[in-house]
Amino acid sequence: MFERSKHGKTASFPLLHKPHLCNFWKMPQLLIATKNAHKTQEIGAMLGAAWDLTDLCAHPEIPAPEETGSTFVQNATIKALEASRLFPGWVLADDSGLSVDALGGAPGILSARYAGPQASDAQNRALVLERLAAFPENYQRTARFNCVMALAQSGEIKALFHGIVEGRLLSEEQGSGGFGYDSLFVPDGHSDSFGVLSAEQKNSISHRARALTAFQRWITANASLL
Ligand code: ITT
C-alpha cells in the first residue's frame, strides 16, 4: 500500500490522485516520538505523503523521556509508550545507534551521548576516532547501525521493527551530508561514506529504511486498524 514508485513518490492511496474524492478521507496522524529533526526528515522522506506526520518538536507538551533501558528495544519502547500516553493517535519511536566491533559494540545505545550528556555529533565522532586510533591501521573496523522502531497506540505497544546496515568505519571524516556518525561510516557494497552518498542512496539501504519497510509491511497487513 505504501510502496514507493520509481520516481520516489508515493504510489499508494489512489484517492490522493483524485482530490474531488478525497474529502471523506483523512490522512492518519503519526507522531514520530523524537526531538532529532534528522530522524524526522529521513522518515518523512521515506514515508511520503501517506501520513500526517509530526514530531516532538511540534508537541512541547509531550516530554522526551529519560532513556533508561539497556537495549535499543527497551529505549524505543520507553519513548513510544511515554508519548503514546499523551498523544491520541499512532506513535512511532526510533532508537538507533552505531556499534563498532573494535570498541566492543560501543557507542551502541549511548551513540547520542558518547562524549557526554550534551555532546555534539562532532564531539561524539571525535571520541570514536580517538578510541579507534589505539588500534593498528589494518585492524578490522567493522561496524553497523541498528534501528529499532516501536509503534504504539493508546499507551500500548503494537509492534516492533528492526533494521541493520553493516559496514566499516573510516579513520577520518569523509563528506558532510547526513548527521551523527554518517561521515565515518561506509556501508557494505559502497566505497563512500553516508556523508558522501546522497540522501536517496542512504534511504534505500539504511538501518532506518529497513525498519521502516517492516513498519510499512505491518501497516499494510493491519490496514483495517487505521
Ligand atoms: P531521540 O531520542 O529524540 O529520538 P536521539 O538522537 O537522542 O533522538 P537516539 O537515542 O536513538 O536518538 O540516538 C541516536 C544516535 O545514534 C544519533 O544521535 C546518532 O548519533 C546515531 N545515529 C542513529 N542513526 C544514525 C544515522 O542514520 N546516521 C548517523 N548517526 C546515526
Side-chain angles (χ1 to χ4, degrees), residues 4 8 38-39 41-47 176-179 182 187 190 192-210 212:
R4 294 171 71 78
H38 298 284
K39 288 184 182 178
Q41 208 276 328
E42 289 187 0
I43 292 169
M46 290 186 269
L47 286 184
S176 55
F179 71 102
D182 278 343
H190 292 262
D192 288 320
S193 77
F194 272 155
V196 169
L197 296 177
S198 68
E200 289 73 22
Q201 283 173 305
K202 179 181 176 189
N203 288 345
S204 66
I205 56 170
S206 79
H207 50 314
R208 186 160 295 108
R210 288 171 177 163
L212 216 46

Side-chain angles (χ1 to χ4, degrees), residues 14-133:
L15 287 186
L16 286 177
H17 307 298
K18 297 188 167 69
H20 60 290
L21 294 177
C22 273
N23 290 341
F24 58 89
W25 188 77
K26 230 174 139 217
M27 269 194 296
Q29 288 193 328
L30 181 64
L31 173 67
I32 309 299
T34 184
K35 287 204 163 165
N36 184 328
H38 298 284
K39 288 184 182 178
T40 309
Q41 208 276 328
E42 289 187 0
I43 292 169
M46 290 186 269
L47 286 184
W51 294 88
D52 176 6
L53 213 72
T54 54
D55 69 12
L56 293 182
C57 299
H59 292 275
E61 76 283 6
I62 305 178
E66 238 189 280
E67 294 178 32
T68 51
S70 52
T71 63
F72 293 113
V73 168
Q74 286 172 1
N75 283 337
T77 300
I78 289 169
K79 290 191 256 193
L81 282 181
E82 191 82 5
S84 176
R85 289 189 189 108
L86 295 168
F87 182 79
W90 292 93
V91 172
L92 189 66
D94 165 319
D95 200 65
S96 45
L98 176 74
S99 296
V100 184
D101 290 327
L103 302 180
I109 59 162
L110 297 178
S111 290
R113 41 203 155 109
Y114 193 42
Q118 305 301 329
S120 66
D121 284 353
Q123 289 169 323
N124 289 330
R125 288 193 300 270
L127 185 57
V128 166
L129 287 181
E130 186 188 315
R131 298 212 165 141
L132 277 179

